[in-house]
Amino acid sequence: MDDIRRWDVPGRVNLIGEHLDYNGGPVLPIAIDRSLTIKVRAREDGVVNLWSDLPDSAKVSFATTVQPGDLGGWAVYAAGIVWSLMEAGHRFGGADLVVESRLPSGAGLSSSAALTCGIAAALNDLHGFGLGLTDLAQLAQRSENDFAGAPVGIMDQLAVLCGEADHAVLLDTAASPPTTQGVPVTWSVDGLTLLVINTRAHHSLADGEYAARRDECEQAAAELGLEWLAQATLDATVRLTDETLKARTRHVLTETARVRGAVNAMNRRAWTQLGTILTASHASLRDDFQVSCPELDVAVEAALEAGALGARMTGGGFGGSAIALVPVDQVARVRERVEARYAAHQWREPETFVVRAADGAHVVD
Ligand code: GLA
């Protein structure tokens, strides 16, 4: 039917620059070739109907006047972006939305940002709101912050909207509004690929610990008299007295340097160097920022033992996924090694798959 538009919206992995998006640092995510499809059709009766194949999802309906707290479950994300658009004065008469997912949910691959950004982009297109990609990302971030109650940064939204095939997206999160720049991803020319290892673990402390890290970073920046913690220089770790704040700051400033190093290595096709930087990022997230978990650490260790050039957790941490830069001919070996190590721990079998850098949200037909 020609009044239905179909959108394809990718998930993301973050190549490097973890926990920097709320610290004004550089971040280098990739939109991936695993996506959601969102079909959208306008309604005029003030109702939004939502059907999906996501786990635990029957049909959900809510009014376009929906408010925070009105509903829970995964539909909170769809309702949140409707609320955020309406709050910003982008009014519309309702919608039918059908969501089909090829993104593993709960894997830390930003299925929530794909949902909010995809709906925002589709409604913007349908109703001619005239919003640009950064506007959409900010409205989607607001829906997660103020409707869903998740104090996330803006990396996921910008990655999902501004991704480009065969490119990573370098974000400057200190700019107002944040800016994006494509960085070519050419490792496949040299026989390498990016492997995602979905640990299938999700530790319940994830949300509270994320908020706690944000608070600690804000506290450290305030003590140092900085607007953004990513502006800290080495003397910060001497000036701060609290050991926890010192460690958090050490992660933020070394990770900021690692993002610059990673871009440089990618531009020179220096893959061994890129791998070393990725692995160093993991160590910093594990030891200084303390957002890893045994399942992520074992995935990284096993990947490195089996021939990965580098590996790290990706996203918020405490479960979710790790990534590994792997020679194509070692992919099976890495997968087997990770599975064997998980089996020895009697953990659920992890899911591993190769990803490519894909385009951001776009209309299909
Ligand atoms: C989650 C958040 C992002 C970002 C990462 C950590 O994915 O949604 O905004 O803060 O954690 O880099």
Side-chain angles (χ1 to χ4, degrees), residues 182-343:
V183 176
V185 168
T186 59
W187 49 61
S188 64
V189 175
D190 294 308
L192 298 168
T193 192
L194 194 66
L195 196 65
V196 170
I197 305 162
N198 172 12
T199 65
R200 298 190 207 256
H202 180 75
H203 293 282
S204 54
L205 37 77
D207 297 346
E209 291 290 324
Y210 184 91
R213 293 300 175 281
R214 278 200 76 143
D215 290 348
E216 288 161 353
C217 290
E218 276 164 27
Q219 204 183 322
E223 281 189 29
L224 294 164
L226 299 171
E227 182 187 3
W228 300 108
L229 191 54
Q231 293 166 339
T233 42
L234 257 186
D235 63 312
T237 53
V238 184
R239 283 167 58 204
L240 291 167
T241 47
D242 182 89
E243 288 303 323
T244 303
L245 297 192
K246 258 190 207 186
R248 307 300 186 242
T249 303
R250 201 159 48 230
H251 168 71
V252 169
L253 72 93
T254 57
E255 185 78 350
T256 297
R258 281 187 291 269
V259 178
R260 311 274 181 232
V263 172
N264 182 286
M266 286 171 74
N267 288 335
R268 291 186 298 110
R269 289 169 54 189
W271 307 124
T272 307
Q273 188 183 348
L274 178 64
T276 304
I277 293 171
L278 297 179
T279 306
S281 168
H282 184 78
S284 178
L285 288 156
R286 182 191 60 211
D287 302 337
D288 281 341
F289 216 66
Q290 295 179 299
V291 289
S292 190
C293 63
E295 293 88 344
L296 285 166
D297 294 342
V298 167
V300 166
E301 275 165 32
L304 293 171
E305 281 164 18
L309 269 54
R312 60 183 289 278
M313 54 158 275
T314 188
F318 301 106
S321 295
I323 52 170
L325 184 64
V326 181
V328 172
D329 57 8
Q330 302 291 316
V331 166
R333 197 162 160 246
V334 169
R335 177 177 289 132
E336 280 158 25
R337 181 68 63 98
V338 176
E339 284 175 4
R341 293 281 306 272
Y342 270 52

Side-chain angles (χ1 to χ4, degrees), residues 12 14 17-22 152-156 210 315-316:
R12 68 96 188 93
N14 187 14
E18 215 65 85
H19 287 274
L20 293 190
D21 63 346
Y22 53 85
V152 295
I154 201 162
M155 160 173 81
D156 305 344
Y210 184 91

